[in-house]
Amino acid sequence: MKRRHLLQAAALIAMPCAVAQPAAAQAWPAKPVKLIVPFAAGGTTDLIARLVAEKLGPQLGQTIVVENRGGGGGAIGAIEVVRAGADGYVLGMATVSTMAANPAINPKLGYAPLADFTPVVNIAAPPTVLAVNPSFPAKDYAAFVEVLKKSPGRYSYASSGTGGIGHLQTELFKSLAGLHLTHIPYRGAGPALNDTVAGQVPIVFDNLPSALPFIQSGRLVPIVVAAPQRLASLPNVPTFKEVGLEPVNRMAFYGIVGPKGLSPAIVDRINAAVRNAGEDPGLRKRIEDTGSHIVAGSPAEFARQIRNEFDVYRQVVLAQKLALD
């Protein structure tokens, strides 16, 4: 009898602990949440972050404060997320550059793509585009390849920087197409695009949202896109799959991650809020106007995509014997 009373008392004492964790999760967020963009203001990652933050705040009941922490190809901002407490008050925007390409080429970066982050949601996927200055002596894919094969090593391409998606996706393209191009890294997509438009570099590989205004104004000529199918904005431009290079047909991503150890309850709340935001017609149109499309999948799906992209670009680095400049 005495033993039974002791067990009952122990169970009663344990009950508040059992409900404490869900209650704490429900109380989050009790203050503003910081969303770190690992690039300068004004880029597409920053735009997507601010559009989504505007919709998430009312759903979560707190302001989402977007902060730009550019530098190191996104590494500086990513490391700030890694070093934050896993309480849900510091989140980060994740891109292929920060979560796959940059870590693939720089093992001393200071973080591991999955081990040091908690994937939350892939918000949107933008196509990428290979484009040339109008003075380039080719305006379609077949002629483009013919020109490069006739003059191996003569032409160069601009990217947003060593280890960025533009760099490694072009290297993947080069390896599969058997082409020789010289890499000219810049400190961001803006300078790379500007110099290609100015004719300082003839070729650029970049996310479509950044390049599209130059294409629409005739200052860049699109050659081929990485997208599931031809784009409504570029109906005459083939995809890499169409030209026989399906492995290059890789969409980029703009997602949200948290530090390692972020509570599953918080992850699920943010994921659900992003999914709800993605149903808003105004938000959907503004994101689609950048050339991207809404994804808003599960945390597990995002984790798999990050791992897949890292594995692909790590193989590119090894095959092409790439190293930091």
Side-chain angles (χ1 to χ4, degrees):
M1 181 68 70
K2 184 177 180 181
R3 175 178 172 80
R4 187 177 68 187
H5 288 320
L6 288 172
L7 290 172
Q8 288 173 340
L12 288 170
I13 292 170
M15 283 179 66
C17 297
V19 298
Q21 216 171 14
Q26 289 173 3
W28 177 91
K31 60 182 182 180
V33 176
K34 182 190 297 185
L35 178 59
I36 295 175
V37 175
F39 301 102
T44 310
T45 309
D46 180 64
L47 172 64
I48 298 294
R50 293 179 188 278
L51 289 175
V52 172
E54 182 181 336
K55 298 295 182 181
L56 290 187
Q59 292 192 60
L60 298 176
Q62 288 288 345
T63 302
I64 310 298
V65 181
V66 177
E67 292 192 9
N68 299 89
R69 292 286 186 270
I76 290 175
I79 289 172
E80 186 169 335
V81 176
V82 169
R83 292 175 178 169
D87 55 9
Y89 290 102
V90 176
L91 306 170
M93 288 294 290
T95 68
V96 174
S97 292
T98 59
M99 302 301 291
N102 212 343
I105 199 171
N106 186 4
K108 297 180 180 179
L109 197 59
Y111 63 84
L114 283 176
D116 292 327
F117 296 93
T118 301
V120 177
V121 61
N122 179 3
I123 300 168
T128 53
V129 60
L130 179 65
V132 298
N133 181 277
S135 65
F136 189 81
K139 302 297 185 289
D140 60 64
Y141 181 77
F144 175 78
V145 170
E146 184 180 359
V147 168
L148 294 184
K149 288 194 171 182
K150 285 182 177 178
S151 305
R154 175 181 174 183
Y155 293 99
S156 58
Y157 73 93
S159 85
S160 60
T162 301
I165 183 174
H167 176 205
L168 295 197
Q169 201 164 16
T170 307
E171 292 298 324
L172 176 60
F173 165 62
K174 283 169 51 180
S175 67
L176 295 175
L179 302 174
H180 298 279
L181 286 165
T182 302
H183 178 219
I184 309 294
Y186 285 81
R187 295 178 64 85
L193 286 164
N194 288 336
D195 264 16
T196 308
V197 168
Q200 301 299 316
V201 184
I203 303 164
V204 66
F205 204 146
D206 192 36
N207 288 340
L208 181 64
S210 305
L212 189 58
F214 296 106
I215 293 170
Q216 291 173 329
S217 64
R219 291 178 289 172
L220 285 177
V221 178
I223 298 297
V224 59
V225 297
Q229 58 272 325
R230 292 199 182 196
L231 305 172
S233 57
L234 301 173
N236 297 321
V237 181
T239 68
F240 277 102
K241 181 177 180 179
E242 287 181 77
V243 300
L245 298 175
E246 187 169 4
V248 192
N249 213 49
R250 318 191 70 79
M251 297 279 278
F253 58 72
Y254 303 116
I256 294 177
V257 294
K260 178 176 66 176
L262 189 61
S263 160
I266 293 176
V267 169
D268 289 343
R269 281 200 67 190
I270 301 167
N271 185 279
V274 170
R275 286 179 182 236
N276 288 336
E279 296 301 319
D280 180 88
L283 177 68
R284 182 175 289 274
K285 181 180 186 306
R286 293 181 72 182
I287 288 179
E288 289 175 349
D289 283 348
T290 73
S292 307
H293 71 262
I294 300 285
V295 178
S298 71
E301 289 170 334
F302 192 27
R304 284 195 295 272
Q305 185 174 12
I306 291 170
R307 182 177 297 281
N308 289 342
E309 294 304 299
F310 175 79
D311 289 344
V312 165
Y313 289 119
R314 186 62 189 150
Q315 290 304 312
V316 172
V317 168
L318 295 174
Q320 296 291 88
K321 298 181 174 59
L322 303 178
L324 294 176
D325 293 340

